[in-house]
Amino acid sequence: MGVSELAVRWADMLDGAVAPTLTRAQVEELLDGFCPRLIAAVRGTGDLSVAREAAAALVAANYRDPLAVNRSVFVLCKDLVETVCPEPDCADYWPVRDRTIELAAEFAAEFTAGLRNVALAEQETTLSAALTAAREAEARRHLSEARFQAIFEGASVGIGTVDISTGKVVDVNNAMAETLGVPAEDMPGRSVAEILGPANIGDAFGLFQRLLSGEIDRFRFETEHTKPDGTHTVIDLSMTIVRDSEGRPRFLIGVTVDVTDRKQLADQLWYDAHHDSLTGLPNRLLFFDRLTAASGQVGVCYLDLDGFKEINDRRGHTAGDRVLCDVAHRLRMAVASNAVVARLGGDEFIVLVENCSGQAELDGVADSLLGALEDPFDVAGLSVRVGASIGTALVDTDATAIDELMHAVDTAMYRDKALRHRGDPPRRAAR
């Protein structure tokens, strides 16, 4: 598949997520400009930041449908790999695949951030328009009331007004009623905390009290909200004091937006960016996040499968992928709850043991991991064995740099591999 064909394939995948600001020809032209740079990035000769540029360009072109992310990630993880490595046994397959996963994670992260910024900008625009109209209504009541009422009733986001002296709701629009799941006629005369419910108001109760006292002029927070019918949503709530021309507080105006879909999309994209797409294990990015956040003494086991390349060469990558999934499952089952099993890429796995009690515990974990691989694996009806070389390191994260730790455990793993090839007993530990 050539560069232009890759752009056409990508445009085909995006057909279901229409971008009204671009024609089909313009979409192909846009993607055709990014494809050579994306190919260079996965080959290791270009910068992975091109994925973020591509995501930002699609958001700017008004691609707001989550399908645009899912289908773009599919193209990056499948068609882009096939473009760079057209042969199934291409020697660069695994490095290209690993860089492609990083590229897809960069794309998903930027697309999520772009969607969030667009949503926030739209909310700020609506709030600004409502506040401007409200202030004008006080200064030029007869001229501006109709305008404010039109914004109030026609807004796609929830808007409500609150009496600043009592903290009671004065009026809400239909969008607010729909967002909160409470009939509009049932809200006037009730407090914001009463409408949201004590389980949903959380830390915002203190902010609301500070707003009523005049200590602050505005606050904003995101909270989970359970509607009376039991439906769980996530809402973004902003509240602001409206003052008259002399600066005296007149009333409060609140704006709510249901961000449930955006939150779910962000959570899914975060998961996809931090987990290996083949095995479902944490990937390199999430592993180093956990390692960096760990404190005190931790243990690390670094595994490199022995004989895996032979499976790929003889049985093909599909069989190799099946073995990797089975290996991941066995390793995950072999460790305790205080251990994190991750796939670094290719046939390399790594295990983080947090709050490790000492070398004895770490050696026990290493033995369990190796023991989990002793039984043969089923590959298309054939029984094959896959061993592993393993290196371990026990360190104090407060005193040891991450790169020093990884160098030590990597050295121990290759020492173990060399000993196994000679038939000597393995010595895994790296202090």
Side-chain angles (χ1 to χ4, degrees), residues 34-368:
F34 284 108
C35 285
R37 297 172 61 197
L38 291 167
I39 290 173
V42 299
R43 282 177 172 164
T45 60
D47 194 338
L48 292 176
S49 63
V50 63
R52 288 185 174 271
E53 295 179 33
L58 289 178
V59 172
N62 209 35
Y63 280 95
R64 309 289 173 80
D65 192 329
L67 284 175
V69 188
N70 295 340
R71 293 177 179 180
S72 293
V73 169
F74 179 84
V75 170
L76 294 176
C77 290
K78 182 178 184 297
D79 298 294
L80 180 57
V81 172
E82 293 177 356
T83 300
V84 178
C85 293
E87 298 298 329
D89 294 326
C90 176
D92 292 330
Y93 178 83
W94 289 112
V96 165
R97 181 167 177 170
D98 288 344
R99 284 193 290 270
T100 302
I101 292 172
E102 294 182 44
L103 194 78
E106 291 289 321
F107 180 91
E110 182 62 27
F111 202 100
T112 303
L115 289 182
R116 182 176 185 276
N117 291 337
V118 168
L120 294 180
E122 291 175 348
Q123 182 179 349
E124 289 294 330
T125 299
T126 301
L127 178 58
S128 177
L131 287 173
T132 299
R135 293 187 180 106
E136 290 180 0
E138 288 296 309
R140 297 178 295 165
R141 184 179 302 276
H142 296 293
L143 182 63
S144 300
E145 273 187 350
R147 180 184 174 194
F148 176 73
Q149 196 63 28
I151 294 175
F152 184 83
E153 294 177 355
S156 59
V157 298
I159 302 177
T161 55
V162 178
D163 187 306
I164 198 167
S165 61
T166 64
K168 305 292 185 181
V169 173
V170 176
D171 197 10
V172 298
N173 65 356
N174 290 330
M176 175 74 82
E178 183 177 348
T179 299
L180 300 180
V182 179
E185 61 271 17
D186 290 351
M187 283 191 263
R190 300 169 65 188
S191 69
V192 174
E194 181 183 357
I195 293 171
L196 292 179
N200 300 315
I201 196 67
D203 295 338
F205 183 79
L207 293 173
F208 189 67
Q209 294 303 314
R210 293 173 65 192
L211 192 67
L212 290 175
S213 68
E215 184 180 345
I216 57 176
D217 278 358
R218 180 181 181 181
F219 73 83
R220 178 179 186 171
F221 77 105
E222 191 174 283
T223 183
E224 294 185 358
H225 175 67
T226 303
K227 296 181 179 181
D229 65 1
T231 303
H232 297 286
T233 61
V234 180
I235 61 171
D236 187 300
L237 171 64
S238 299
M239 296 212 69
T240 304
I241 293 178
V242 177
R243 301 179 183 272
D244 62 19
S245 57
E246 297 180 0
R248 292 173 299 192
R250 301 295 296 173
F251 58 92
L252 305 178
I253 187 168
V255 175
T256 58
V257 180
D258 188 333
V259 295
T260 306
D261 291 342
R262 188 193 78 200
K263 183 72 164 54
Q264 290 174 345
L265 174 60
D267 290 345
Q268 183 61 49
L269 291 177
W270 185 93
Y271 181 89
D272 292 342
H274 289 78
H275 289 79
D276 176 45
S277 60
L278 176 65
T279 64
L281 291 178
N283 60 14
R284 178 188 300 269
L285 179 61
L286 182 54
F287 173 80
F288 282 106
D289 283 348
R290 290 289 298 269
L291 180 57
T292 303
S295 60
Q297 184 169 254
V298 300
V300 175
C301 298
Y302 184 19
L303 291 90
D304 182 80
L305 300 184
D306 296 330
F308 179 73
K309 184 177 183 303
E310 184 178 351
I311 294 176
N312 268 339
D313 293 342
R314 291 189 176 184
R315 308 298 177 188
H317 290 297
T318 299
D321 286 350
R322 181 65 261 168
V323 169
L324 288 175
C325 290
D326 289 345
V327 167
H329 176 73
R330 291 192 189 183
L331 295 181
R332 193 162 37 198
M333 294 297 101
V335 299
S337 59
N338 68 325
V340 178
V341 181
R343 182 185 175 210
L344 294 184
D347 60 355
E348 297 177 333
F349 295 83
I350 195 163
V351 178
L352 172 66
V353 182
E354 300 183 84
N355 300 316
C356 188
S357 61
Q359 191 63 46
E361 179 185 357
L362 188 57
D363 288 343
V365 172
D367 289 339
S368 296

Side-chain angles (χ1 to χ4, degrees), residues 406-420:
M406 293 308 299
H407 176 73
V409 74
D410 184 65
T411 300
M413 186 273 293
Y414 280 106
R415 184 188 308 122
D416 182 49
K417 184 180 289 287
L419 291 172
R420 287 176 183 277

